[in-house]
């Protein structure tokens, strides 16, 4: 499956992925994030990822690595 474009859809709070085969995959961000354990910091990072890096957001979700990414974001500390 070749991807034409991926973008955050603010009207549906979703990631929309269009393919060369003519398919549109819509990932609902609310459904994706509702069972995740987050902090305010990781929620902010997750929102930024959905808007600025929708392809990475979709990849994390589809591979089942979203919680692992959030845990890594929360473990980062400024020294």
């Amino acid at each position: 499956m070749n991807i034409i474009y991926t973008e955050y859809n603010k009207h549906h709070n979703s990631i929309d992925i269009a393919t060369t085969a003519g398919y549109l995959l819509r990932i609902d961000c609310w459904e994706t994030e509702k069972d995740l354990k987050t902090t305010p910091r990781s929620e902010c990072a997750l929102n930024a990822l959905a808007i600025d890096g929708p392809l990475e957001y979709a990849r994390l979700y589809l591979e089942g690595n979203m919680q692992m990414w959030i845990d890594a974001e929360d473990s980062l500390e400024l020294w």
Side-chain angles (χ1 to χ4, degrees):
M1 173 170 42
N2 294 328
I3 295 174
I4 295 175
Y5 73 90
T6 305
E7 68 180 355
Y8 175 72
N9 183 331
K10 67 181 178 180
H11 302 291
H12 295 281
N13 189 30
S14 65
I15 304 296
D16 294 343
I17 303 169
T19 68
T20 55
Y23 294 108
L24 178 65
L25 172 65
R26 177 167 283 161
I27 299 172
D28 185 336
C29 294
W30 186 86
E31 284 293 324
T32 301
E33 299 170 14
K34 72 178 182 181
D35 294 327
L36 297 174
K37 294 174 179 70
T38 61
T39 63
R41 175 189 169 117
S42 60
E43 281 185 34
C44 183
L46 201 54
N47 290 338
L49 182 65
I51 295 167
D52 298 332
L55 185 59
E56 180 67 12
Y57 183 99
R59 186 187 63 76
L60 286 169
Y61 171 69
L62 294 172
E63 292 177 354
N65 295 328
M66 188 80 70
Q67 186 65 56
M68 189 181 338
W69 184 86
I70 289 170
D71 294 343
E73 279 295 313
D74 284 336
S75 70
L76 295 175
E77 295 181 21
L78 297 175
W79 295 92

